[in-house]
Amino acid sequence: MVTGLLTRTRGRVDSFFGIGIHGSTVRRELMAGTVTFLAMCYVLAVNPSILGDQGDLGAQGIPTQAVFTATAVAAVVGSLVMGLWARYPIALAPGMGLNAFFAYSVVLGMGIPWQVALSGTLLSGVIFFVLAVTKIREKILNAIPLQLKLAVAAGVGAFVAFLGLKNAGIVVDDPATLVGLGDFTQGATVLALFGLVLTVVFLVRGWHGAVLYGIVATAVIGMLTGLVDIPDGVVSMPQGLDQTFGQALIHLPDAFTAQMAVVVLTMLFVDFFDASGTLIGVANQAGLLNAKGELPRASSALSADAVGTMAGAVIGTSTTTAYVESTAGVSAGGRTGLTAVVTAAWFAVAMFFFPIFVVVAGSGAVTAAALIVVGVLMARSLGDIDWSRLEFAVPAFITIIMMPLTYSIANGLAMGMIFYPVVMVARGRFREVHPVMWVLTVVFLAYFFLLAE
């Protein structure tokens, strides 16, 4: 009887996800989901270190345990929606880069309370959802030049890597030159360098959990040398959501300001194109694109990403988005939504291990390598930018360089958007500038001259 029940259950799962049709097996999907989790669960340590009140944000940050729990819950919800609705082997979690924008540009840079920033995240998710289920999505995608999309991805990568270098003490402030090289005799800096080298070695060797393994090894060495605190426990019940859940809704009226409009627009832009690129890239690797190179059920997939963002904001974390680390699961054989469901299950289990993750989150030396490596991976889009044409090279370069140098993703994005129409007009190609780009140019000019502090 038990065997028969298992067979029927397996058959229903196979039928719902189309496992056999895609040439996969339930066992392979289970393994792929596990590999995806190992490749991306570093977010459980890094996200609290960026958004939490035990990191750079200090008293302005979200309670660290609340961020940890919210990160895990958002990953569970987002991945389940993607797996069960869109049925793609793509997992979701709070996105790297967007969490940095949330923390350093919005909360620290603009002085906006994290509760209001969550409201902005929620609004960006709502707009994203509307765009995903309508044809407006295609119009916007076509309006923004590919070169700028590539530059934004690379710029966010540069900004994230800069954060990692700063947290590690490898790059420090210098009154004479603004920035300088850190003191390599400091234990924390040496530990961070060790973690970076180890993570890079794991990555080059092709280990799917390279970032996670690097974090674990660095944390262990740090504990043995007294540079990292030893956890005071292993397992604990998930806590903290009472401090963040619903704050995005409560403070929603405060998000309808001109300053927040720029914040919401930036969140929407980065998430919109990052999600689109990730979905296409992962689906292409899995052989799920159709004969025209289009993504079947694209609206459902992007809608799932938007739902994840809305849910994450209400729960208490920054923008939730599709993770490029899902390619690790695809390389392990994942082809259907069951892979994402399994990843969600692992995140549900992980939320009970806060005592371990909080120690990692509280040490910039331990998480630095993860940020730097993520920056490296995001910088891959640099190779696709047409540097031989100044009308593309100038706005792309300005976008990329201004993000880390102004310590703001929004500033870099805005500068690039402003320069693109300028160089196109200078080239005599102003007719090729989409009307949407002119609207965005006006919005960002207003941001710099009227709203920026």
Side-chain angles (χ1 to χ4, degrees):
M1 179 179 293
V2 174
T3 302
L5 179 61
L6 289 174
T7 301
R8 287 194 297 273
T9 301
R10 185 184 294 269
R12 290 171 182 169
V13 171
D14 190 315
S15 176
F16 178 81
F17 290 106
I19 295 174
I21 295 175
H22 289 95
S24 186
T25 65
V26 172
R27 181 177 181 180
R28 193 177 299 164
E29 296 290 312
L30 294 174
M31 178 60 70
T34 302
V35 170
T36 298
F37 171 76
L38 291 175
M40 63 183 284
C41 70
Y42 65 86
V43 69
L44 290 171
V46 178
N47 204 44
S49 74
I50 291 177
L51 302 181
D53 56 9
Q54 294 182 24
D56 287 350
L57 291 185
Q60 293 176 271
I62 307 173
T64 298
Q65 185 161 11
V67 179
F68 170 80
T69 306
T71 300
V73 174
V76 170
V77 174
S79 299
L80 282 177
V81 173
M82 180 66 76
L84 296 175
W85 182 14
R87 285 172 286 179
Y88 277 110
I90 299 173
L92 281 70
M96 301 299 297
L98 279 165
N99 54 5
F101 171 72
F102 183 106
Y104 301 102
S105 295
V106 180
V107 177
L108 280 183
M110 300 180 182
I112 296 172
W114 60 263
Q115 295 91 337
V116 180
L118 287 177
S119 299
T121 303
L122 175 60
L123 286 176
S124 72
V126 171
I127 299 172
F128 191 174
F129 183 81
V130 172
L131 296 177
V133 297
T134 64
K135 292 185 177 181
I136 299 175
R137 174 179 60 90
E138 284 81 4
K139 293 181 180 179
I140 294 179
L141 281 172
N142 293 332
I144 309 298
L146 173 62
Q147 301 297 314
L148 278 183
K149 299 173 190 174
L150 297 171
V152 168
V156 172
F159 181 75
V160 170
F162 184 74
L163 289 179
L165 292 168
K166 182 184 78 71
N167 292 344
I170 297 174
V171 172
V172 297
D173 64 307
D174 188 305
T177 60
L178 292 183
V179 293
L181 193 63
D183 184 357
F184 283 14
T185 64
Q186 294 294 317
T189 303
V190 174
L191 179 63
L193 286 170
F194 167 80
L196 177 59
V197 171
L198 200 61
T199 303
V200 169
V201 170
F202 291 158
L203 197 66
V204 172
R205 296 290 298 174
W207 292 16
H208 295 310
V211 175
L212 172 65
Y213 301 147
I215 287 177
V216 171
T218 307
V220 170
I221 296 299
M223 292 175 195
L224 293 176
T225 57
L227 295 171
V228 176
D229 295 333
I230 298 176
D232 56 8
V234 177
V235 179
S236 69
M237 292 297 295
Q239 299 177 37
L241 290 189
D242 58 309
Q243 299 171 286
T244 58
F245 186 84
Q247 290 297 317
L249 296 172
I250 295 172
H251 293 270
L252 197 57
D254 299 326
F256 290 94
T257 65
Q259 187 182 43
M260 281 301 297
V262 176
V263 172
V264 172
L265 183 63
T266 302
M267 289 179 173
L268 175 66
F269 180 90
V270 176
D271 186 28
F272 195 76
F273 294 109
D274 182 62
S276 299
T278 299
L279 289 170
I280 293 296
V282 177
N284 180 59
Q285 181 180 345
L288 299 176
L289 299 181
N290 60 26
K292 296 181 180 180
E294 300 170 338
L295 180 68
R297 307 185 305 281
S299 179
S300 296
L302 286 169
S303 297
D305 193 287
V307 171
T309 291
M310 290 186 286
V314 173
I315 293 166
T317 187
S318 54
T319 304
T320 300
T321 189
Y323 258 59
V324 72
E325 283 83 356
S326 298
T327 54
V330 168
S331 67
R335 293 295 181 272
T336 75
L338 182 57
T339 294
V341 171
V342 173
T343 303
W346 277 115
F347 270 107
V349 172
M351 74 173 69
F352 291 90
F353 293 89
F354 173 73
I356 295 177
F357 282 99
V358 71
V359 169
V360 177
S363 174
V366 174
T367 57
L371 294 173
I372 296 169
V373 168
V374 167
V376 171
L377 296 177
M378 295 184 73
R380 288 181 295 189
S381 61
L382 283 170
D384 296 321
I385 297 175
D386 189 353
W387 296 104
S388 64
R389 301 174 63 177
L390 287 177
E391 62 268 34
F392 296 145
V394 171
F397 179 78
I398 289 175
T399 297
I400 295 166
I401 198 67
M402 291 300 286
M403 286 187 184
L405 291 188
T406 64
Y407 216 68
S408 169
I409 293 172
N411 288 344
L413 174 64
M415 291 289 284
M417 286 288 193
I418 291 171
F419 266 87
Y420 177 75
V422 171
V423 295
M424 290 298 283
V425 169
R427 277 285 195 182
R429 299 173 57 186
F430 61 91
R431 292 186 180 86
E432 297 178 33
V433 180
H434 196 281
V436 171
M437 287 298 298
W438 289 112
V439 173
L440 293 175
T441 298
V442 172
V443 170
F444 287 127
L445 280 172
Y447 164 68
F448 279 124
F449 289 104
L450 302 177
L451 304 175
E453 297 180 358

